[in-house]
Amino acid sequence: MPFLVGDRVTCNAAKVLGNKHAKQRYGRLFKEKELLGDVQRIDGKGRSVKYIVYFDEVATSKAFSARSIRRHSTAAGGNAEASIPTAISISSSSPNPPVEEPHDQESNDVGDGSSLSCHGVQWKVVDGIVEDWRSSPQFGTHILWGNDVEEVHRTPLDYWKLSFPSQMLPDVISWTSDQLPVGCPKATEEEILAVFGVLYSLTRTSEARRDLWSTKDGLFPAPRFGERYGLSRDRFEILLRHLSFCSALEATGDKWAPVRRLVDGFLMNEEYRKYFLDGSSVLMNLYLHGERKPKGVGCELKNCADADTKIILQLEIQEGASIMANKEYVAEYKLAGTAQLLRLTKPWHGSGRAISADSAFASVTTAIACRKNGMHFTGLVKTATRMYPKKYMDEVEFPELGDDVTLVANVEGHNIMAHAWGDKKAVKFAKKKLTKLRSEE
């Protein structure tokens, strides 16, 4: 009996992923691992027929002949053969693997061409939506100076002190001094500030660090960091080597202790909140230190920033899967990206601000969560496609560059919009299309 669109089928993981990737994901038993998928499309005729199968566990589509797959259940839902037991495995090279998204067996069912159903959500194709932002709340980005700093006397250091948790600066000086070798002079506030200044300057030059204290002019003027910062190279190196943001006692037992106080101090900086008023939009980003793939090393931070000035507003350290899985909002929304976005944007819940995010956060669940918490959302959808019309977006054809399609739906009383357009440079998205999700009233 031939397979039909909608049939549930199984296939060996090695045939779906290849031996190398299947072994990395499932270990030595990868040749026995069976993956469950849906027949989404049938190409060809007769002996050359190919079945396009989507495997939800690995979010991959692949073409197979009838000999390579076995029927698990029919499109109507009846069991065709005994179910093959499989173990769900979550593997990721990220320091914070996301909570696995629950998959729904319902597929996108295109009806009359103007509406479709996706995991219980009814989407309708529309000609397009033009929004009048003048009817939306308007915000502006401002730095609100206190009376302690006169306008004519503002310096770069004044701006820097707004964002740095200055209340912990005395502790940083003390902790660093405690780590210095015996007989080495204690650190001073001027020296610690100079160390920060040198570190910022290092991001703006390609010269070797040892050459920045040179005083000999060549084709270009010498950097003269010693004269500029009042700090010799030897003193800078020893202070940098022992720079500490926690006490020696705290550093034991918590691998994030060396930076935790700095991150927490940034988030709880009352002076920063007092003088900085962010704009109408907030950007969600991912910052990495070190390579993320194939093995996670170094440190990973996720943050949100003001869209107008690009000033970072919130930070969160990725502390590992077990710790992140127990943080706020994870139990309620099940998705790590949604939970993290809500934690990072918590100061703006109920403000009507617009949140823009990449695929690490974007999903229909995130869009609805933002509306429930009084915010708007726009994001690029890549992997978290539950309730999103991915199949329709993959199959729609764009004859000309820039052609687009828009769908709308109402989920839990909130209006959301899905949008896709043709772009030849968007190679990382299926069929070279960019997809966008937006929530609005």
Side-chain angles (χ1 to χ4, degrees):
M1 177 180 176
F3 297 98
L4 302 175
V5 173
D7 283 355
R8 295 285 280 177
V9 299
T10 62
C11 184
N12 185 268
K15 291 183 178 180
V16 178
L17 302 173
N19 288 336
K20 179 179 178 181
H21 291 94
K23 187 174 182 180
Q24 288 177 348
R25 188 178 182 95
Y26 298 109
R28 291 180 298 176
L29 300 178
F30 74 96
K31 291 184 178 180
E32 302 174 11
K33 173 68 177 178
E34 294 288 326
L35 296 178
L36 190 63
D38 297 313
V39 177
Q40 292 190 330
R41 193 172 75 249
I42 302 175
D43 292 341
K45 295 181 179 180
R47 294 184 178 181
S48 61
V49 66
K50 293 290 184 181
Y51 298 94
I52 312 303
V53 182
Y54 176 78
F55 298 92
D56 38 22
E57 184 175 331
V58 293
T60 298
S61 293
K62 197 168 182 179
F64 293 96
S65 65
R67 293 180 299 176
S68 300
I69 54 179
R70 291 191 299 166
R71 182 177 282 105
H72 177 269
S73 61
T74 64
N79 288 332
E81 59 183 41
S83 176
I84 300 175
T86 59
I88 296 177
S89 172
I90 302 175
S91 62
S92 173
S93 59
S94 166
N96 174 32
V99 176
E100 185 174 34
E101 181 180 356
H103 293 281
D104 197 312
Q105 292 188 5
E106 182 181 358
S107 62
N108 294 354
D109 233 352
V110 179
D112 59 3
S114 61
S115 64
L116 57 99
S117 175
C118 177
H119 304 114
V121 176
Q122 296 296 321
W123 290 90
K124 181 179 181 180
V125 181
V126 296
D127 292 335
I129 295 179
V130 179
E131 290 186 80
D132 185 356
W133 281 95
R134 292 174 296 180
S135 62
S136 301
Q138 297 297 310
F139 304 95
T141 304
H142 303 286
I143 294 180
L144 308 175
W145 292 92
N147 297 326
D148 54 329
V149 181
E150 296 182 9
E151 183 175 354
V152 295
H153 294 141
R154 295 174 189 168
T155 67
L157 185 60
D158 293 326
Y159 285 93
W160 179 81
K161 285 183 175 179
L162 278 183
S163 60
F164 186 81
S166 54
Q167 72 275 9
M168 69 176 294
L169 188 56
D171 291 329
V172 173
I173 298 170
S174 176
W175 294 326
T176 302
S177 296
D178 292 342
Q179 297 295 323
L180 292 173
V182 177
C184 188
K186 298 292 185 181
T188 65
E189 179 177 342
E190 290 76 13
E191 287 179 327
I192 295 298
L193 293 177
V195 169
F196 290 144
V198 172
L199 293 175
Y200 287 131
S201 297
L202 289 175
T203 66
R204 310 296 297 174
T205 180
S206 59
E207 294 188 53
R209 197 161 81 189
R210 62 179 179 274
D211 297 330
L212 297 176
W213 274 262
S214 172
T215 58
K216 185 178 180 180
D217 293 330
L219 182 60
F220 298 100
R224 290 185 167 85
F225 268 34
E227 299 175 9
R228 183 181 301 179
Y229 293 101
L231 198 66
S232 69
R233 178 190 165 196
D234 289 342
R235 183 63 173 169
F236 167 77
E237 295 290 351
I238 196 169
L239 288 174
L240 180 62
R241 190 178 306 119
H242 297 93
L243 184 63
S244 302
F245 297 102
C246 70
S247 65
L249 184 61
E250 288 179 289
T252 59
D254 180 5
K255 70 175 184 178
W256 300 108
V259 294
R260 190 181 298 280
R261 275 181 175 264
L262 181 62
V263 174
D264 291 346
F266 173 81
L267 298 180
M268 296 182 290
N269 188 351
E270 294 181 0
E271 295 298 307
Y272 186 57
R273 301 285 177 226
K274 179 180 177 182
Y275 292 135
F276 183 76
L277 177 65
D278 55 290
S280 59
S281 300
V282 177
L283 297 175
M284 304 294 300
N285 288 295
L286 169 67
Y287 282 166
L288 298 174
H289 174 69
E291 295 295 330
R292 186 179 184 182
K293 297 179 180 180
K295 293 183 179 180
V297 297
C299 175
E300 179 178 316
L301 294 173
K302 290 184 179 175
N303 72 81
C304 63
D306 172 55
D308 294 331
T309 62
K310 308 302 186 291
I311 294 176
I312 293 176
L313 306 173
Q314 296 276 95
L315 292 173
E316 186 173 86
I317 303 171
Q318 306 310 288
E319 302 184 52
S322 58
I323 296 177
M324 301 303 292
N326 292 317
K327 294 211 170 189
E328 189 177 13
Y329 298 117
V330 175
E332 180 179 357
Y333 291 99
K334 310 302 181 185
L335 295 182
T338 301
Q340 192 155 49
L341 182 142
L342 292 176
R343 291 195 300 271
L344 287 168
T345 60
K346 197 169 185 178
W348 300 277
H349 287 187
S351 69
R353 294 252 188 334
I355 311 299
S356 299
D358 61 15
S359 60
F361 306 94
S363 65
V364 173
T365 301
T366 298
I368 300 307
C370 283
R371 290 305 308 136
K372 287 181 177 179
N373 288 278
M375 300 179 295
H376 299 278
F377 176 82
T378 301
L380 292 173
V381 176
K382 188 176 180 183
T383 56
T385 58
R386 187 173 184 273
M387 296 187 288
Y388 186 80
K390 181 179 184 297
K391 179 184 176 183
Y392 179 85
M393 294 300 197
D394 287 347
E395 295 179 350
V396 66
E397 295 295 334
F398 295 135
E400 300 292 337
L401 187 68
D403 285 353
D404 63 334
V405 63
T406 303
L407 295 89
V408 294
N410 187 284
V411 183
E412 300 180 26
H414 300 288
N415 296 324
I416 57 176
M417 176 176 66
H419 187 72
W421 65 95
D423 189 333
K424 63 181 181 180
K425 294 184 179 180
V427 295
K428 63 181 179 179
F429 292 94
K431 292 196 176 181
K432 302 183 180 180
K433 297 181 182 69
L434 287 173
T435 56
K436 180 175 283 191
L437 182 68
R438 187 170 200 151
S439 64
E440 60 179 1
E441 281 298 342

